[in-house]
Amino acid sequence: MNKPRHPLDKPSRSARSVSAGSALGPGYSAANSNTRIHGPRPFTLPSNSAKPPAAPATVNLGLNSDRLRLQMVQRLREQGITDERVLSAMQAVPRHVFVDQGLASRAYEDAALPIGYGQTISQPWVVAHMLAVMSDGRTPERVLEIGAGCGYQAAVLAQFVPEVYAIERVRGLYEQARLNLAQGRARGRVRLTFGDGMQGLEHRAPFDGIVVAAAGVKIPEVLLHQLAVGARLIAPEGAAHQRLILIERTGPSSWHRLELEDVRFVPLRPGTQT
Ligand code: SAH
């Protein structure tokens, strides 16, 4: 196929292999996947509370979760998240519903957590930051998420975006996300697709925002063409060294690219997994 030149072509980063490691997959752990590595405003918990209090196993987290979410949102504010739409969306969505029951008591820590199939639910700060940057100064009506995972980020998006499309390539996670979205106050608000998000969703384009939750060595070019003019895409990019990249479509054939924080995401993979 005669591919047009990538609109943001630049010398590609060298892709070094990552070392084998955890149950999450080579080089990834619950502590380092879909998380920020360093930030301009490093956040430290007060020394006498290294971790948010974990709910006793016998307590129904559903009853406690409003308070735990309030603490999570307070932490996000302290970490520099200011977009009230995003903060109230994070307050509204019960993150514990999107993780395995055994991890529910940790759902409001500022950490990525395993969701099976070697994937993770993104760190709350990462979710909040990506959504805030994507929608900054805009009122997106139609947004695409690539890498729905367990559905959490899509549910958060659906609190303030009327039309949310989300794609997941792992069949088991796609099915899990459907169940979670039904329980997580996002029933019917997220249109979930099982497929390869590297192709985007041509028949629903253009989008007022695109959020990619897995890192490709390079951001797929096709996605840039599915952005509306003026809209923004946010995605991690890179292999061993990854960065969050913000791309704004500034015209029919012009895009502006900005490199943000160092992050560690699970990989963006082609095709589907059944
Ligand atoms: N959005 C999630 C994060 C999930 S982790 C959250 O709310 O926390 C990233 C997800 O991207 C994984 O589930 C992985 O299977 C998926 N993924 C990777 N490559 C993909 C592709 N090409 N298309 C769709 N999903 C993809």
Side-chain angles (χ1 to χ4, degrees):
M1 195 171 71
N2 191 13
K3 275 186 96 190
R5 206 173 68 85
H6 193 290
L8 294 159
D9 244 345
K10 67 178 183 83
S12 64
R13 295 175 193 277
S14 63
R16 277 180 287 128
S17 63
V18 285
S19 59
S22 74
L24 287 170
Y28 300 94
S29 73
N32 72 2
S33 287
N34 290 20
T35 52
R36 170 172 57 170
I37 294 181
H38 306 292
R41 285 176 293 269
F43 170 70
T44 44
L45 285 159
S47 56
N48 61 349
S49 61
K51 277 183 177 179
T58 49
V59 171
N60 178 351
L61 190 62
L63 298 175
N64 273 330
S65 71
D66 282 350
R67 181 175 56 83
L68 292 173
R69 270 199 302 287
L70 207 56
Q71 290 171 0
M72 177 185 78
V73 167
Q74 183 54 34
R75 238 176 16 240
L76 291 171
R77 286 186 196 280
E78 289 162 9
Q79 290 170 299
I81 306 293
T82 56
D83 190 315
E84 292 298 332
R85 296 168 301 178
V86 172
L87 291 165
S88 50
M90 303 274 298
Q91 178 66 49
V93 177
R95 192 169 186 256
H96 65 279
V97 165
F98 292 81
V99 297
D100 195 75
Q101 261 197 322
L103 290 169
S105 65
R106 299 188 52 204
Y108 298 105
E109 293 177 14
D110 195 33
L113 295 170
I115 54 173
Y117 304 89
Q119 308 302 322
T120 58
I121 183 173
S122 302
Q123 179 188 34
W125 182 85
V126 161
V127 171
H129 180 60
M130 287 178 88
L131 300 189
V133 169
M134 179 275 295
S135 56
D136 187 38
R138 295 157 169 75
T139 310
E141 292 282 317
R142 178 185 290 191
V143 171
L144 175 66
E145 184 200 26
I146 289 151
C150 60
Y152 175 70
Q153 182 161 263
V156 174
L157 257 173
Q159 301 299 312
F160 64 98
V161 174
E163 251 184 275
V164 175
Y165 295 85
I167 311 177
E168 174 53 53
R169 69 177 289 280
V170 176
R171 169 71 76 178
L173 286 173
Y174 159 78
E175 276 158 12
Q176 194 56 53
R178 279 173 65 115
L179 293 173
N180 292 342
L181 285 165
Q183 288 177 48
R185 300 179 196 167
R187 188 195 297 270
R189 299 226 215 122
V190 176
R191 293 149 219 223
L192 201 58
T193 301
F194 170 61
D196 178 5
M198 288 174 83
Q199 310 304 318
L201 211 56
E202 183 62 48
H203 64 291
R204 298 293 183 195
F207 295 97
D208 303 323
I210 300 180
V211 181
V212 186
V217 174
K218 200 165 187 184
I219 295 167
E221 178 188 339
V222 72
L223 301 180
L224 307 183
H225 292 277
Q226 293 182 17
L227 276 177
V229 171
R232 291 175 155 195
L233 171 147
I234 185 151
E237 187 183 71
H241 173 236
Q242 301 174 4
R243 278 235 169 108
L244 268 187
I245 308 293
L246 171 65
I247 293 174
E248 190 170 318
R249 188 167 193 175
T250 50
S253 49
S254 56
W255 290 262
H256 181 257
R257 173 187 166 107
L258 195 63
E259 303 207 353
L260 308 176
E261 297 80 9
D262 284 353
V263 287
R264 164 65 74 193
F265 274 65
V266 295
L268 186 70
R269 294 210 164 99
T272 55
Q273 181 183 322
T274 48

